[in-house]
Amino acid sequence: MARTTSLSGFTEWLPEERLVELHVLDTLREVFERHGFASIESRAVETIDTLLQKGEIDKEIYAVSRLQEEEGREARLALHFDLTVPFARYVVENAGHLDFPFRRYQIQKVWRGERPQDGRYREFTQADIDLVGDGALPFRSDVEIGVVMAKALEALPIGDFMLRVNNRKLSEGFYRSIGLTDTTAVLRAIDKLEKIGAEKVSEELVSSGAATTEQAHQALELAQIRATDTSFVAAVRALLGSVEADELLEAGLAELEEVVAELNKRVPGRVTADLSIARGLDYYTGTVYETVLIGHESLGSVCSGGRYESLASKGKRTFPGVGLSIGVTRLISRILAEGGLSASRKVPAAVFVAMRSDEDWGAAQDVADALRGRGINVEVALKAEKFGKQIRHADRRGIPYVWFTEDDGAHEVKDIRTGAQAPADPASWTPPAEDALPRIVESATD
């Protein structure tokens, strides 16, 4: 795991840890692109007004200004705290150049001024995918986004995981059915359930006037419903009893039933209907997802998101969408902390070219150029030292092969793991495929 840095909440990986991160990012890119998602990158800053339009996290926003800035000359700027709000602005500004439905993935740093703790950072990398429509977006997009993210997570050696899914229409419709009017306040309270527990959530609902004691009890009973199939529908109806179901509840039940049924077909064993999932941000309007690593539930959600009908608009045009976001830094920090993944070496180089004397540096570079020309990563010694010392240097970095050039111009390459040494030609020698690049291995099984 990376060392504690001088600024809390900001990670700085060691080279071998960075290789694990790059492996994760490359894998995500590959899966996203295989499913038709195009990459974009938005600017790191937004106007403060833009960032405050959705949700209430003003205490977490990092403002940006020039040291000699003249007050009032320009809009106040801040670092983006997620990639969804900037994406909404991006869609509005570029709508005339995008083809809808628009599939986008985005992997960038974000900044959030919250209290650093296990799995929570002030600067971290997110990987988002979104499907956005112009005016309308078929509901099956809610299924597709879940399938793609499940496929992406399955491609990573992170162990077992579960997509926990709910629908805010279902929750809000249920609250309306039992007489609750401030459904947003109830959703925000339920969103804290795993952090503060049922008793404190109930106290918050009652003390704020959002619910009576009986209504708070019913809302918490709804949040206890779990199912890996569509049986949750019957459980919700049983909880309502003789109370007439609100139309919004019926819509939410139907949508969540479809999502759970389809995900069980496409990615079996990866979905649970969990009616405690609420998501705190205001822009979610339907399907909501959270994802936990089995056995590491205390880490919280490593991937979350959902459906939004009105995040972005331009005049009379609206751009509904659905998206999911992986907290890449959170995921990698836990993997590294528990030794789940590691790199087979610290550096990309597969070959270290040793030197007999400092006069051999040019010849060593010629060897390296010949190897690099065929796609082999090579490091060349900077000075001539005893071969034993040069070999130890390569070994410490995990470089598997050391290249020697004899006085007569002959070449030999040594596998320093086994001690095997053999003649080699820079114009044709190639390392085995498994040694060409650092491998990312599961420490528990490799």
Side-chain angles (χ1 to χ4, degrees):
M1 182 63 185
R3 266 43 49 206
T4 301
T5 63
S6 56
L7 289 177
S8 62
F10 295 82
T11 59
E12 291 182 335
W13 305 126
L14 293 174
E16 57 268 37
E17 296 168 335
R18 173 63 172 160
L19 285 171
V20 172
E21 182 181 43
L22 288 174
H23 171 77
V24 170
L25 297 178
D26 289 343
T27 301
L28 294 176
R29 288 190 192 98
E30 181 182 345
V31 175
F32 295 160
E33 291 180 0
R34 193 181 305 138
H35 288 84
F37 287 76
S39 176
I40 70 164
E41 181 171 287
S42 62
R43 63 198 186 210
V45 298
E46 300 289 338
T47 65
I48 290 177
D49 289 343
T50 296
L51 294 177
L52 291 179
Q53 285 176 2
K54 304 292 181 181
E56 298 180 359
I57 64 167
D58 54 300
K59 293 181 180 179
E60 298 180 0
I61 292 177
Y62 281 109
V64 176
S65 64
R66 292 182 290 121
L67 291 177
Q68 301 298 324
E69 187 169 27
E70 295 181 35
E71 188 174 347
R73 290 291 298 274
E74 295 179 327
R76 296 176 63 207
L77 302 178
L79 296 171
H80 56 222
F81 59 81
D82 74 356
L83 298 179
T84 304
V85 174
F87 178 54
R89 190 264 312 155
Y90 177 95
V91 169
V92 168
E93 292 184 358
N94 294 283
H97 306 282
L98 301 176
D99 298 313
F100 296 94
F102 178 47
R103 288 172 166 82
R104 150 275 200 184
Y105 79 88
Q106 187 171 351
I107 301 176
Q108 278 185 247
K109 295 276 191 183
V110 300
W111 295 266
R112 192 171 297 176
E114 58 185 356
R115 183 171 63 87
Q117 54 186 298
D118 183 27
R120 291 191 176 275
Y121 300 93
R122 291 174 172 172
E123 178 185 65
F124 53 98
T125 299
Q126 284 191 185
D128 285 22
I129 53 173
D130 283 84
L131 248 167
V132 177
D134 185 357
L137 184 70
F139 178 73
R140 62 188 54 151
S141 303
D142 293 35
V143 177
E144 181 174 346
I145 212 81
V147 171
V148 174
M149 193 58 83
K151 296 287 188 182
L153 292 173
E154 284 181 339
L156 300 174
I158 59 174
D160 203 7
F161 65 90
M162 184 65 66
L163 299 177
R164 301 162 65 196
V165 60
N166 191 15
N167 191 295
R168 285 181 60 143
K169 293 178 184 176
L170 188 162
S171 298
E172 291 188 46
F174 181 87
Y175 301 153
R176 291 184 189 180
S177 298
I178 62 174
L180 292 168
T181 56
D182 192 352
T183 57
T184 299
V186 180
L187 280 168
R188 287 180 179 169
I190 294 296
D191 191 46
K192 304 174 186 176
L193 185 58
E194 292 188 350
K195 295 180 181 178
I196 65 176
E199 185 176 342
K200 289 189 179 298
V201 168
S202 180
E203 290 175 1
E204 179 178 325
L205 288 171
V206 175
S207 64
S208 67
T212 66
T213 300
E214 176 59 25
Q215 288 171 330
H217 176 72
Q218 289 175 292
L220 287 167
E221 279 194 310
L222 178 74
Q224 299 301 317
I225 294 176
R226 309 279 190 280
T228 56
D229 54 23
T230 58
S231 61
F232 68 89
V233 177
V236 173
R237 297 197 184 283
L239 184 57
L240 271 181
S242 59
V243 175
E244 183 178 355
D246 186 271
E247 290 182 3
L248 194 62
L249 171 59
E250 293 291 357
L253 282 170
E255 290 182 1
L256 185 58
E257 184 176 27
E258 182 177 342
V259 168
V260 171
E262 286 298 321
L263 284 175
N264 270 323
K265 291 179 184 177
R266 307 297 171 191
V267 282
R270 294 300 189 191
V271 63
T272 295
D274 184 336
L275 305 197
S276 70
I277 303 301
R279 302 299 301 150
L281 293 172
D282 294 343
Y283 48 65
Y284 294 116
T285 57
T287 305
V288 283
Y289 284 98
E290 289 192 355
T291 309
V292 294
L293 301 182
I294 304 301
H296 305 292
E297 288 82 0
S298 62
L299 185 62
S301 178
V302 296
C303 173
S304 57
R307 178 84 175 206
Y308 43 86
E309 292 295 342
S310 57
L311 182 67
S313 61
K314 185 177 184 179
K316 294 183 178 181
R317 294 174 72 184
T318 59
F319 302 95
V322 59
L324 282 170
S325 173
I326 296 178
V328 175
T329 304
R330 172 182 290 195
L331 185 64
I332 292 172
S333 68
R334 178 49 60 97
I335 290 171
L336 294 175
E338 300 193 349
L341 291 180
S342 61
S344 59
R345 59 181 186 260
K346 296 180 180 180
V347 295
V351 178
F352 180 83
V353 180
M355 294 194 304
R356 291 181 174 275
S357 69
D358 286 336
E359 288 72 25
D360 292 337
W361 188 80
Q365 289 292 341
D366 292 340
V367 170
D369 286 345
L371 295 172
R372 290 168 183 154
R374 291 183 293 103
I376 302 169
N377 296 334
V378 182
E379 177 182 333
V380 178
L382 289 176
K383 63 178 181 178
E385 298 178 294
K386 291 182 178 179
F387 280 153
K389 190 170 184 178
Q390 294 185 69
I391 291 171
R392 286 193 296 273
H393 172 77
D395 185 47
R396 283 194 300 269
R397 294 162 68 76
I399 301 174
Y401 298 98
V402 175
W403 193 282
F404 302 100
T405 301
E406 305 296 337
D407 289 335
D408 60 1
H411 300 276
E412 291 194 344
V413 65
K414 180 173 185 172
D415 184 338
I416 62 175
R417 299 163 300 183
T418 65
Q421 187 165 328
D425 182 348
S428 60
W429 181 86
T430 300
E434 63 270 19
D435 293 332
L437 292 170
R439 290 181 300 125
I440 305 302
V441 298
E442 295 181 71
S443 301
T445 58
D446 202 85

